[in-house]
Amino acid sequence: MIIIEEGCGSFIPTESVQEIVRKNPEVVPERYVRYEDEEGGDDLLPHLFLEIPVIDLFLLSSGDEEELKKLDMASKEWGFFQIINHDIPTEVLQEMKLTAREFFQLPLEDKMKYFKASNDVQGYGPSPIVYEQQKLDWADILILQVYPTHSRQEKYWPTILPDSTKFIEAYSKEASRVAEKLLAGFSQLLGMQIEELLKMHCEVLQAMRMNYYPTCPTPEKVIGVSPHADTGTLTLLLQEDDTIDGLQVHHLGEWVSIKPLPNALIINIGDVIEVLSNGRYKSVEHRAMTNERKERISIATFICPSEHVEIEPLASIVYEDLKQKYKKFRYGDYLNYYWTRRLDEKTPTNLGLIKIEA
Ligand SMILES: O=C(O)CCC(=O)C(=O)O
Ligand SMILES: [Fe+2]
């Protein structure tokens, strides 16, 4: 069965996009069509192919001043950057990519064993929605909470693939090591002790979202992942195939396509850093597009504070800026708000809740 039964929870069931394409690769159902004309509305096609800043993680974590400056600039001007010299073994990256690919290649009935309950965020399925008539994303996803280990919902881990747990854990451990180095860099930039930003998280919540974007006969009419900003502290993005474009970042009023360097990780700043820094650093809106030729797989790792942690702009920065630009919020409440927003809202309203208007 492809149409998932109505559950009692808050997410509304929709169909697997991969199945829609498998059954009829030529037709895009109406609910996925965002733009009727071939030009894709006013903003569909990116006009710019720019390279986002590249940061050498080895230099950054050795205390190199220039690299720290680059991190500052990238976080102010882009909210996105790539890291090289992250020291994650190539086979760990390869095995993670393979796990994601093998999972989505499973027959539907096997993937359905991991289908998310309607009141869960974790699990397999299309992008979750909470409004009946909204437009849908052209993607299927698998979300797993990885750390802390007691927060895992093991029923969603694709153990049908014998080594998947080992591979997901190996990659996640590396991702968390990389994140700690970046957090140390941000601590310095924000005028804190080197460990302070990490400590502020209490227990780091680390989740993984594997995104599968099937090919689409009319890619100019659909969106793989709707424009959004990530709610957490940092996101680390691994692309399965560096040669397939898809990620676009909103930069200087335009959508810019991001081309990852081979073996680099793409990092973006989430709302937590935007708020802590009183808006100096930006949690930038981004989206993913599809194409006609080849499906695309990406693996996002979200680094977030514990739900009970309260986030507000750092006093020292507010003092310098003479104005507090965001209200204090509890991270868990913010997360709940995020999951109940509409997918097809054009601009992220998630900060609307906490931004103090000028
Ligand atoms: O697939 C991508 O490139 C972006 C995915 C993304 O933004 C997300 O999972 O939050
Ligand atoms: Fe994202």
Side-chain angles (χ1 to χ4, degrees), residues 209 211 213 225 228 230 237 239 247 286 288 296 298 300 302:
R209 172 173 163 147
N211 298 298
Y213 307 101
V225 169
H228 66 283
D230 295 345
L237 190 83
Q239 274 200 201
L247 175 61
H286 52 286
R296 174 171 174 267
S298 69
F302 303 104

Side-chain angles (χ1 to χ4, degrees), residues 30 68 73 92 141 170 220 223 278 293 303 306:
E30 185 54 36
L68 202 60
M73 183 280 287
V92 171
I141 60 185
E220 64 289 344
I223 296 189
N278 204 32
R293 292 166 292 114
I303 305 292
S306 287

Side-chain angles (χ1 to χ4, degrees), residues 8 15 21 52 69 76 126 270 274 311 342:
C8 53
E15 196 170 354
V21 177
I52 53 173
K69 271 194 211 145
K76 279 181 180 146
E274 174 164 335
I311 305 294
R342 294 176 66 96

Side-chain angles (χ1 to χ4, degrees), residues 278 280 313-325:
N278 204 32
R280 286 186 188 181
L314 296 169
S316 56
I317 298 185
V318 173
Y319 181 78
E320 279 176 22
D321 292 353
L322 303 173
K323 184 176 182 331
Q324 176 168 345
K325 297 186 184 149

Side-chain angles (χ1 to χ4, degrees), residues 251-319:
H251 179 71
L252 303 175
E254 301 256 22
W255 287 107
V256 178
S257 275
I258 301 301
K259 272 199 186 309
L261 295 170
N263 284 324
L265 285 181
I266 295 174
I267 312 289
N268 66 289
I269 285 164
D271 296 345
V272 169
I273 290 192
E274 174 164 335
V275 172
L276 290 175
S277 71
N278 204 32
R280 286 186 188 181
Y281 299 142
K282 300 281 184 266
S283 170
V284 167
E285 198 184 3
H286 52 286
R287 65 184 187 183
M289 307 307 281
T290 62
N291 72 77
E292 246 176 305
R293 292 166 292 114
K294 199 167 187 298
E295 76 276 19
R296 174 171 174 267
I297 296 175
S298 69
I299 301 146
T301 294
F302 303 104
I303 305 292
C304 311
S306 287
E307 295 197 0
H308 71 271
V309 172
E310 296 197 317
I311 305 294
E312 64 182 327
L314 296 169
S316 56
I317 298 185
V318 173
Y319 181 78

